[in-house]
DNA sequence: AAGATGAACAACCGCTCCCGT
DNA sequence: TACGGGAGCGGTTGTTCATCT
């Protein structure tokens, strides 16, 4: 049941889903007059909508360069990376995924990422979950990207069968690169760690410079993580040793990981 | 086949910031 | 400097559709 606010009732403003006719009015008006000044645009276009509503409809849906459909593994990787750096700065993250809107990325995070955290029975902002993203999800995404394209042009990587090896995401000069590796646990624990060991094989790929980042995007060093929120912050080697020894991620959490196939 | 449930996505709301007056 | 309107951002809610029971 649609609830109409008093001022909207007075001005006969519409709310809720947009009709095809409204979309046409908005698109045609912007084609002829350009975007901006949304409140007056709404009036002059003959739309009984707020300027806000028009702006949102245009930016999130009608804009010709808006990309729709499934978020690709490359985009997922980038979202995880950038969110670990900037947190819920959706519009800032969206700037680095051409054609994707902040709303879409926010929805992706809420429906997918937070769901996975819930499945693992941990908070999405917890260290544990960040470790899962860092050591499982992101490497798995890289593996998927590699598998999908033979040798991925987007990802540079060397996976080594070493317990202390890692994936590194490197963003330099607007280029997202991944180098090296993945973590696997000692064979004594392999029974509960199959998902990880399955991608702790070696591969080599040629250098690559493809990414979702636009030219001139800001960059960092290793994984571009200047802030303490970084998944791969400086000093991660020491941290990893503790993680490796089982101090960081409980067996219960790993059991949850094993039980779910979400990161595939 | 029909209702219940949950995932995905579209849209709205409140707040803040910026800029012109 | 204060004020008001426009614009943008992040959180939240509503709607639709697919899957499950």
């Amino acid at each position: 049941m649609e609830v109409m606010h008093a001022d909207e009732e007075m001005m006969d403003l519409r709310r809720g889903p947009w009709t095809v006719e409204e979309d046409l009015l908005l698109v045609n008006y912007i084609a002829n007059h350009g975007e901006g000044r949304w409140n007056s645009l709404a009036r002059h276009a003959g739309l009984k909508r707020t300027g806000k509503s028009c702006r949102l409809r245009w930016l999130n849906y009608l804009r010709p360069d808006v990309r729709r459909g499934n978020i690709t593994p490359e985009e997922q990787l980038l979202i995880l990376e950038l969110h670990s750096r900037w947190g819920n700065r959706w519009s800032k993250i969206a700037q680095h995924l051409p054609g994707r809107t902040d709303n879409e990325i926010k929805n992706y995070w809420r429906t997918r990422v937070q769901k996975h955290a819930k499945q693992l029975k941990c908070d999405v902002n917890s260290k544990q979950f960040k470790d899962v993203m860092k050591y499982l999800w992101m490497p798995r995404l890289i593996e998927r990207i590699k598998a999908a394209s033979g040798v991925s042009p987007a990802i540079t990587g060397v996976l080594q069968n070493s317990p202390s090896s890692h994936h590194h995401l490197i963003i330099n000069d607007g280029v997202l690169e991944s180098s090296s590796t993945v973590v696997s646990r000692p064979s004594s624990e392999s029974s509960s760690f199959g998902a990880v060991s399955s991608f702790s094989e070696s591969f080599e790929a040629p250098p690559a410079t493809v990414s979702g980042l636009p030219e001139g995007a800001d960059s960092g060093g290793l994984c571009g993580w200047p802030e303490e929120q970084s998944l791969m912050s400086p000093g991660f080697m020491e941290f990893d040793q503790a993680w490796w020894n089982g101090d960081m991620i409980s067996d219960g959490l790993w059991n949850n990981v094993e039980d779910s196939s979400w990161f595939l």
Side-chain angles (χ1 to χ4, degrees):
Chain A
M1 179 80 176
E2 188 172 303
V3 178
M4 191 173 282
H5 295 185
D7 56 337
E8 290 175 353
E9 194 168 10
M10 278 196 357
M11 298 179 65
D12 195 23
L13 287 178
R14 274 181 50 76
R15 300 174 73 243
W18 281 62
T19 65
V20 175
E21 289 76 19
E22 288 177 311
D23 283 347
L24 281 173
L25 277 175
L26 183 56
V27 168
N28 287 334
Y29 188 88
I30 289 176
N32 291 325
H33 301 91
E35 57 182 281
R37 303 186 62 81
W38 294 102
N39 282 329
S40 68
L41 182 152
R43 285 194 300 272
H44 290 113
L47 286 159
K48 293 178 177 179
R49 295 272 182 176
T50 64
K52 261 185 168 183
S53 181
C54 293
R55 175 184 165 272
L56 206 63
R57 183 64 177 174
W58 172 254
L59 291 178
N60 287 343
Y61 198 86
L62 297 174
R63 220 167 19 122
D65 59 335
V66 74
R67 273 186 74 191
R68 313 187 62 73
N70 290 340
I71 306 279
T72 66
E74 286 92 342
E75 289 172 320
Q76 292 178 43
L77 194 59
L78 204 49
I79 291 169
L80 296 182
E81 140 81 19
L82 295 179
H83 186 276
S84 69
R85 200 200 289 197
W86 295 324
N88 296 357
R89 302 285 303 279
W90 307 118
S91 62
K92 188 170 182 176
I93 293 171
Q95 288 171 8
H96 296 279
L97 287 106
R100 298 295 187 185
T101 68
D102 57 348
N103 209 34
E104 194 169 15
I105 293 167
K106 181 170 55 183
N107 282 333
Y108 167 77
W109 188 266
R110 292 189 61 80
T111 58
R112 313 282 184 82
V113 180
Q114 289 193 353
K115 181 187 75 177
H116 297 330
K118 194 177 175 184
Q119 283 177 348
L120 296 176
K121 297 181 174 63
C122 59
D123 187 88
V124 72
N125 294 316
S126 68
K127 191 164 180 53
Q128 281 188 328
F129 189 68
K130 287 178 179 178
D131 288 344
V132 170
M133 284 197 290
K134 173 182 172 182
Y135 293 113
L136 282 178
W137 200 346
M138 295 171 83
R140 192 63 195 160
L141 282 170
I142 292 172
E143 190 71 358
R144 278 183 60 194
I145 294 164
K146 186 194 78 160
S149 60
V151 175
S152 169
I155 298 296
T156 300
V158 178
L159 292 180
Q160 297 170 350
N161 196 7
S162 158
S164 60
S165 55
H166 304 269
H167 272 297
H168 297 166
L169 284 173
I170 302 168
I171 297 183
N172 279 318
D173 297 325
V175 174
L176 170 65
E177 297 176 46
S178 169
S179 66
S180 69
T181 56
V182 115
V183 174
S184 62
R185 277 201 164 178
S187 56
S188 63
E189 299 187 38
S190 61
S191 62
S192 62
F193 219 68
V196 178
S197 59
S198 68
F199 56 82
S200 58
E201 58 193 321
S202 296
F203 82 91
E204 294 211 12
T209 57
V210 178
S211 85
L213 288 175
E215 204 63 35
D218 61 340
S219 58
L222 172 67
C223 220
W225 320 85
E227 293 100 353
E228 70 288 353
Q229 284 188 344
S230 167
L231 288 173
M232 301 183 187
S233 56
F236 66 87
M237 290 299 288
E238 296 84 343
F239 161 80
D240 285 340
Q241 192 56 50
W243 173 81
W244 186 255
N245 292 335
D247 296 337
M248 295 297 177
I249 302 181
S250 67
D251 287 344
L253 179 61
W254 283 114
N255 289 337
N256 291 335
V257 169
E258 189 186 29
D259 289 343
S260 67
S261 58
W262 55 266
F263 55 88
L264 294 175

